[in-house]
Amino acid sequence: MTRTEYRWLLPSAMADPGLPDDRIRTRRTVRDWAVDLTAFLIAAGIGMLALGTIEADDTTADIVVFVDSIVGAVACCALWLRRRWPVGLAVALTLVSVVEPVAAGALLVALFSLAVHRPFKPVAIVGALALALVPVQPFLRPDPTTSFLASLLFGALLILLVISWGMAVRSRRQLVVSLRERARRAEAEAELRAEQAQRLAREAIAREMHDVLAHRLTLLSVHAGALEFRPDAPAAEVGRAAGVIRDSAHEALEDLREIIGVLRGPGDTDEGHRPQPTLATLDTLVAESRLAGMRVAVDNRIAEPQGAPAATGRTVYRIAQEALTNARKHAPGTEVSLTVTGGPGEGLTVEVVNPVPTEPFERVPGSGQGLIGLTERATLAGGELEHGPTKDGGFAVRARLPWPAA
């Protein structure tokens, strides 16, 4: 059952979605009408009991009984305005009750409503006024069946009881509304965190797609361009270039299928995950680059690449892959040097340096997002990455990653 379905069971101050505001009048709910009718009947019943006691006194004139009846009826009917003017009604009924015992029931209901709908300060002021006038009423209109002290104690006790009850009801309502608002804020924060997590996941997937596919697509571009500008190449070279294009396209599709499988979730794919690249597969990356026509000088000083942490090895592979891709696009025809050093307890260092190209070439536009993604990837792995031009005009990418001691 939703809030709108059971709204009629709540007070109007709690049925509204926002926090209650004592200065704002809200429409009565079905529960409010039931409570108001019950309060009216209770006040009328107390007034009837008081009027019966007055009529039983033979010394009371008929005109006094008639006036008491009219005043009691007006006081009970005035309770229907207690939600709109709780302070004014409580003050008026406090003054009327001094000389009219039949308005005592209406006064108790008005004080209770005042304590529910107003803060402590006006409640304390009106309550103090009512307590101060408690001795006046039995003095002006004494009850022949009750002593003055008993009337005084009974009247003060009833006033304190209804005011305390009303303040307790108000505190409970404020607590419920506060908890509701806290739950609403928690839901909003949870939705915000979910949106941020989705955004971060999309950014991570975008970086992964860039790192994975840029290398493959660059190979496709290089060999397709070679076929375009050298249509008279020997059949062996054409076949070799076509084979590289086919293999690169196949690998790109496999990588793309793997990333899409991650997006679908583990329950939506029926194929196993492909092995992730590691430090041991770095030689395969270099072989692919050389097959594409690059000159790569490798200085790999890692004795046992299989012992490197999987996450660190995968990060080194992605950094080398992106750096070789950038060198192929921005410095074609140059010899690129790839250096990997380190060991357990020392960390891993990977460095890719390419000199300035000496032959003219068609420049390929770049967005720079690859290097930004590599920097974030190295930072997440607990390391750091530096990149920039060298003294001779080339470009260098250097990353240092942790390798805990065994």
Side-chain angles (χ1 to χ4, degrees):
M1 183 178 293
T2 61
R3 183 183 302 171
T4 56
E5 292 175 347
Y6 66 81
R7 184 181 182 276
W8 62 277
L9 293 174
L10 297 175
S12 56
M14 297 179 62
D16 291 339
L19 291 173
D21 190 345
D22 298 326
R23 297 169 297 177
I24 299 177
R25 298 196 305 269
T26 56
R27 297 183 60 182
R28 288 185 177 92
T29 62
V30 175
R31 181 187 181 279
D32 290 338
W33 284 105
V35 170
D36 290 349
L37 179 59
T38 302
F40 173 80
L41 295 177
I42 291 175
I46 296 175
M48 293 294 293
L49 291 177
L51 185 62
T53 303
I54 294 173
E55 287 181 335
D57 188 4
D58 296 336
T59 60
T60 304
D62 293 340
I63 186 62
V64 175
V65 175
F66 177 76
V67 172
D68 287 346
S69 302
I70 297 299
V71 173
V74 172
C76 292
C77 293
L79 291 178
W80 292 99
L81 303 176
R82 66 188 181 93
R83 297 180 184 273
R84 180 172 297 185
W85 298 298
V87 178
L89 181 62
V91 172
L93 290 178
T94 299
L95 299 177
V96 171
S97 298
V98 173
V99 294
E100 290 293 343
V102 294
L107 172 62
L108 295 177
V109 174
L111 291 176
F112 174 80
S113 179
L114 175 66
V116 170
H117 296 287
R118 288 296 181 267
F120 176 76
K121 185 176 181 179
V123 174
I125 294 175
V126 178
L129 176 63
L131 290 174
L133 296 178
V134 165
V136 180
Q137 194 272 330
F139 178 78
L140 296 178
R141 300 285 300 271
D143 185 357
T145 61
T146 308
S147 64
F148 177 81
L149 181 60
S151 298
L152 178 63
L153 293 177
F154 187 69
L157 182 62
L158 285 178
I159 292 175
L160 291 175
L161 179 63
V162 296
I163 291 178
S164 301
W165 185 17
M167 293 177 65
V169 172
R170 176 180 175 84
S171 298
R172 181 181 178 277
R173 289 185 179 181
Q174 289 182 332
L175 176 61
V176 172
V177 174
S178 176
L179 292 176
R180 181 191 301 170
E181 183 65 20
R182 186 180 304 175
R184 185 183 298 112
R185 288 198 301 267
E187 292 178 357
E189 292 175 358
E191 292 178 358
L192 180 60
R193 286 194 297 269
E195 292 178 358
Q196 292 177 345
Q198 291 178 354
R199 178 177 56 82
L200 293 176
R202 287 195 294 266
E203 292 177 356
I205 292 172
R207 288 195 298 268
E208 186 70 17
M209 292 183 67
H210 178 277
D211 296 342
V212 171
L213 297 180
H215 175 72
R216 310 294 183 190
L217 297 180
T218 303
L219 291 178
L220 290 174
S221 176
V222 169
H223 286 81
L227 292 178
E228 179 182 3
F229 289 103
R230 294 191 60 189
D232 57 344
E237 292 186 8
V238 173
R240 184 171 61 86
V244 172
I245 292 175
R246 182 191 66 243
D247 294 339
S248 298
H250 177 73
E251 292 293 334
L253 290 176
E254 290 294 333
D255 292 334
L256 184 60
R257 185 179 295 109
E258 178 185 354
I259 296 175
I260 294 176
V262 174
L263 292 176
R264 289 177 178 174
D268 297 337
T269 57
D270 54 1
E271 299 181 358
H273 293 292
R274 298 179 59 216
Q276 292 292 324
T278 63
L279 191 60
T281 59
L282 194 61
D283 294 338
T284 304
L285 174 66
V286 174
E288 291 179 353
S289 300
R290 289 172 175 170
L291 190 61
M294 287 188 67
R295 291 186 295 164
V296 183
V298 180
D299 184 8
N300 191 346
R301 304 176 189 176
I302 307 299
E304 297 181 357
Q306 297 83 358
T312 303
R314 184 165 56 251
T315 303
V316 171
Y317 183 94
R318 295 305 185 198
I319 292 174
Q321 184 182 52
E322 176 66 20
L324 291 175
T325 301
N326 289 340
R328 187 183 303 114
K329 290 191 298 185
H330 303 294
T334 61
E335 184 179 30
V336 183
S337 62
L338 170 62
T339 305
V340 183
T341 59
E346 302 177 5
L348 268 174
T349 301
V350 55
E351 184 179 25
V352 181
V353 181
N354 65 266
V356 61
T358 57
E359 299 179 358
F361 66 97
E362 183 178 357
R363 296 189 176 274
V364 179
S367 61
Q369 296 298 320
L371 293 175
I372 296 176
L374 290 184
T375 303
E376 294 181 0
R377 183 186 290 272
T379 303
L380 291 176
E384 57 182 356
L385 184 139
E386 301 173 354
H387 57 84
T390 59
K391 295 180 179 180
D392 59 356
F395 196 86
V397 176
R398 182 180 300 104
R400 288 179 290 272
L401 303 170
W403 186 347

